[in-house]
Amino acid sequence: MAKLEYLLSLTPRESWRVLRHRLPGLRGGPSWQPNELIYSSKHGRGIRFAELLLRQEAVVRRAMPWEPLDFDGRRVVEIGCGPLGGFGPLVIFCGASSFESAEPEWDPQLFDSPEVVEKYHFIFYADLVALYGPRMDFAEFRKRLRERFTIQRCGFEKFAAGGAADIVISQSCLEHVFPIEGTMDKLAEIQTSATRFLHLVDFGNHYPTGNPLNGLYEQPPDDYIARRGKAMNLLRAPDIDALFRSRNIAARVVPSRNVKETYRGTVHPWWRERYDDAALFTQLALVAGPA
């Protein structure tokens, strides 16, 4: 039922993309077509990354001392930037010396396609000018994207960093990494004690259900994963905290959305034996540091 609700929530273009990756004879094509990205409810608005950053930093500031991330002259790494470069265009516009990421779906020809340049890059650029001021013209913006972007088509555990990162960011990535240990080892490798980082982790079911945790807790995680596949690792906020501590990365896990009030499911004893209500019903958390 959750999968049907998910499909019904998509636009016709998004539904077609899901189907063409599953129908015999259509599999094996490119991960994305330009129009699928441009008109995607998730990917089509580049400025959402600025909105996310502003909101998330405001949440973190309520929990700990936090100065806004300053990208000027910084080496920035993102875990899984998505097919349109994630935070990359924003940090380059804000003066980053380089932007690096590992993204299994990366296609440089798609990123530089005329449709994406016209209907994504330019609109994103115009919105960045409105928000941050006229730091450069569009031609210079495009030049910096070409010269300062390094995206490797691989999982983050195989990422070959060009040096220690000044800033590491991610948006709803860590919950999908399976297994996560290699990614955590890579983070420890590329970070120093001065590296600043901000990660959003979404512990929900990623379906448009009445409660974003519906369906998760009725069975042990191994049973859920066996049924749905390795789409999510089902770690909870205390697990993420322990993973950062195990790599000697001084992180603060800041819950930013609790959804206990609308949860109507039954919680299996496996979960009750290991987690309290705060851990079970935190849907979103930010991992920030240095703490």
Side-chain angles (χ1 to χ4, degrees):
M1 181 60 71
K3 290 184 178 180
L4 177 59
E5 290 177 351
Y6 172 68
L7 286 172
L8 291 174
S9 75
L10 301 177
T11 66
R13 289 179 188 273
E14 292 168 330
S15 298
W16 168 243
R17 177 179 181 268
V18 172
L19 288 172
R20 76 176 177 84
H21 281 279
R22 287 164 172 75
L23 292 175
L26 295 178
R27 297 172 185 163
S31 296
W32 292 94
Q33 299 287 353
N35 282 342
E36 292 172 343
L37 286 169
I38 292 164
Y39 296 106
S40 164
S41 58
K42 175 181 178 181
H43 295 288
R45 289 184 64 252
I47 199 60
R48 74 186 179 93
F49 288 99
E51 296 165 351
L52 290 166
L53 183 63
L54 289 168
R55 182 167 68 246
Q56 291 167 11
E57 290 196 301
V59 172
V60 171
R61 277 197 301 274
R62 290 177 58 85
M64 61 186 284
W66 182 265
E67 292 295 323
L69 293 174
D70 179 4
F71 299 112
D72 194 24
R74 303 299 197 272
R75 177 176 233 141
V76 181
V77 172
E78 182 171 359
I79 306 172
C81 65
L84 290 178
F87 284 95
L90 183 154
V91 306
I92 293 299
F93 183 85
C94 291
S97 62
S98 66
F99 174 79
E100 302 170 58
S101 186
E103 173 49 59
E105 293 188 331
W106 183 249
D107 181 350
Q109 291 185 328
L110 183 148
F111 186 70
D112 290 326
S113 66
E115 301 98 320
V116 170
V117 170
E118 177 186 357
K119 296 180 180 179
Y120 182 80
H121 291 175
F122 181 75
I123 293 172
F124 196 176
Y125 162 80
D127 286 340
L128 290 170
V129 169
L131 186 59
Y132 297 109
R135 299 182 175 218
M136 64 195 76
D137 62 22
F138 185 58
E140 177 63 21
F141 176 64
R142 292 277 300 130
K143 179 174 179 287
R144 294 191 187 190
L145 290 182
R146 290 191 298 270
E147 294 176 348
R148 302 186 185 189
F149 255 47
T150 303
I151 315 291
Q152 299 170 32
R153 189 166 183 170
C154 63
F156 193 75
E157 74 283 355
K158 298 179 180 177
F159 174 63
D166 296 310
I167 297 172
V168 182
I169 50 181
S170 70
Q171 182 68 27
S172 189
C173 264
L174 292 177
E175 70 270 22
H176 295 297
V177 180
F178 202 116
I180 198 173
E181 285 73 18
T183 289
M184 296 304 305
D185 291 340
K186 183 61 64 174
L187 284 176
E189 176 187 320
I190 68 172
Q191 294 193 195
T192 70
S193 60
T195 299
R196 301 191 68 196
F197 55 90
L198 183 61
H199 306 286
L200 175 79
V201 187
D202 184 344
F203 300 100
N205 56 27
H206 292 67
Y207 285 139
T209 54
N211 182 289
L213 298 173
N214 283 350
L216 287 183
Y217 296 142
E218 280 77 6
Q219 65 279 300
D222 286 349
D223 294 344
Y224 183 91
I225 291 168
R227 179 167 56 86
R228 182 178 172 182
K230 295 180 179 180
M232 296 184 299
N233 53 40
L234 294 188
L235 299 175
R236 303 293 90 181
D239 305 318
I240 297 295
D241 180 55
L243 281 166
F244 274 84
R245 285 190 285 105
S246 72
R247 270 64 179 183
N248 295 315
I249 301 174
R252 177 79 174 269
V253 177
V254 181
S256 60
R257 183 184 294 167
N258 184 288
V259 293
K260 181 179 180 180
E261 290 186 13
T262 58
Y263 185 76
R264 300 291 180 265
T266 301
V267 181
H268 189 279
W270 189 97
W271 294 98
R272 285 293 186 194
E273 291 166 4
R274 292 163 174 82
Y275 301 100
D276 61 16
D277 278 3
L280 287 172
F281 298 111
T282 292
Q283 182 214 341
L284 299 178
L286 293 155
V287 185

